[in-house]
Amino acid sequence: MLYVPGGFGTRQLLHDSEFIEWLKTGSNVNYKVSVCTGSLLFGAAGFLDGKKATTHPAAYDLLRPYCLEVIEDRIVKDGHIITGGGVATSVDLGLYICELLGGAEAALRIQKQMDYPYYKVGQYYNRS
């Protein structure tokens, strides 16, 4: 799994060819996961070509040139690419990954241990 977080630093990294080339070395991993504006970096690396994706709502317009379609949801899975919205989405995204890899029961156990009532098993956005 390749995980790329977001933040304002992504805007500089978009133009850092050495970083983008390094990111491309993860092209064969089973899952590419980003949250917030980390999806912009996936786009710059070419991972979002022909894919649906999301990002922080304030960056939807920045994401549009890199993907087939920007989906204005918290989590979007298109094949083995999983993108999350703003930084607060990272909690739901983590539980989604637990559900994807370990099943609904595993996600529910973790959710209960976290005392996090907001995640709904099966609610997110498999677009593949």
Side-chain angles (χ1 to χ4, degrees):
M1 180 180 297
L2 173 62
Y3 177 82
V4 176
F8 288 109
T10 58
R11 296 353 176 259
Q12 290 175 312
L13 289 172
L14 281 173
H15 308 290
D16 184 330
S17 58
E18 187 176 327
F19 177 80
I20 298 301
E21 287 304 311
W22 173 82
L23 193 59
K24 289 178 182 181
T25 66
S27 65
N28 291 326
V29 299
N30 287 334
Y31 291 102
K32 295 173 197 69
V33 181
S34 70
V35 70
C36 199
T37 54
S39 60
L40 299 175
L41 299 174
F42 279 177
F47 296 155
L48 299 182
D49 292 348
K51 300 286 186 183
K52 297 177 182 180
T54 196
T55 190
H56 187 284
Y60 288 153
D61 286 341
L62 294 174
L63 183 62
R64 289 186 207 292
Y66 293 115
C67 63
L68 175 66
E69 182 181 354
V70 172
I71 303 296
E72 296 181 6
D73 275 337
R74 289 175 60 80
I75 298 172
V76 174
K77 179 179 181 295
D78 191 337
H80 288 267
I81 305 280
I82 304 167
T83 52
V87 68
T89 305
S90 62
V91 175
D92 289 349
L93 181 61
L95 287 166
Y96 177 79
I97 298 296
C98 291
E99 181 182 352
L100 181 68
L101 299 177
E105 287 184 28
L108 288 169
R109 280 194 310 273
I110 295 165
Q111 179 182 8
K112 183 177 180 181
Q113 180 63 30
M114 291 172 56
D115 188 28
Y116 184 76
Y118 309 108
Y119 184 77
K120 304 281 188 271
V121 168
Q123 81 176 1
Y124 290 110
Y125 318 107
N126 186 348
R127 307 257 184 218
S128 55

